[in-house]
Amino acid sequence: LTLASQVPQGYEVWVYLREGVSPVLGEVLKRDFQRNLAIVKIDARNLQTTGFALDDSVQVGALVVLVSKSVEAGSLVTIVNQGSIRTKGKDVVRTNIFDKISLGGSPLLNLEGDVVGLSTFEPSGRLVAISSSVLRAFSGF
């Protein structure tokens, strides 16, 4: 799952998995521009997976972690940022995390490693995530 804005129509989608490994070509299976969500499939085996956090377990004040990969100066780097949930709505989770807007589409995880949401950023750089319940409904899980 990622943001539809990260995988524009008409462009090849390349997915970087780890430093030193060539990116793999992705296929966009589903795209919803109104919700800004997309599902990208890659041909790879033995990848680590995670589940979605249940809505009841996502509480204001809970610690969360943003985990992202970014290509910077030609190298793949891992970026981690942590914070807490400031507010929670039906479809969004607002945090106290600030980071680069280019990290949008990265998972926001709870301390158990479950996906709390998919990161988007306000113009100020504050992370506001699309909630796991929206992601679950979109993906069919």
Side-chain angles (χ1 to χ4, degrees):
L1 283 167
T2 191
L3 299 177
S5 57
Q6 296 284 11
V7 290
Q9 286 183 291
Y11 288 84
E12 288 185 333
V13 177
W14 291 95
V15 179
Y16 292 81
L17 299 172
R18 342 181 233 295
E19 179 69 37
V21 176
S22 297
V24 294
L25 186 61
E27 175 187 359
V28 178
L29 297 180
K30 186 176 180 181
R31 198 184 260 124
D32 180 337
F33 288 109
Q34 279 210 312
R35 290 189 276 178
N36 196 17
L37 292 172
I39 296 176
V40 177
K41 177 184 175 186
I42 60 171
D43 186 18
R45 305 283 182 259
N46 301 318
L47 297 176
Q48 187 174 359
T49 63
T50 188
F52 293 109
L54 299 175
D55 286 340
D56 294 347
S57 70
V58 179
Q59 300 296 322
V60 172
L63 297 177
V64 288
V65 179
L66 171 71
V67 179
S68 185
K69 299 278 187 188
S70 179
V71 178
E72 296 181 4
S75 296
L76 186 66
V77 295
T78 301
I79 298 169
V80 177
N81 197 338
Q82 70 179 26
S84 61
I85 297 173
R86 289 176 46 101
T87 63
K88 177 181 141 183
K90 180 182 173 209
D91 297 337
V92 297
V93 174
R94 289 181 172 28
T95 73
N96 65 351
I97 296 172
F98 284 85
D99 218 315
K100 296 185 292 187
I101 294 172
S102 63
L103 300 181
S106 301
L108 182 66
L109 307 167
N110 62 20
L111 296 184
E112 288 76 39
D114 296 322
V115 176
V116 170
L118 191 65
S119 62
T120 65
F121 289 87
E122 295 175 337
S124 66
R126 183 186 301 273
L127 189 155
V128 177
I130 301 168
S131 74
S132 61
S133 60
V134 172
L135 301 176
R136 227 180 7 262
F138 178 73
S139 67
F141 289 114

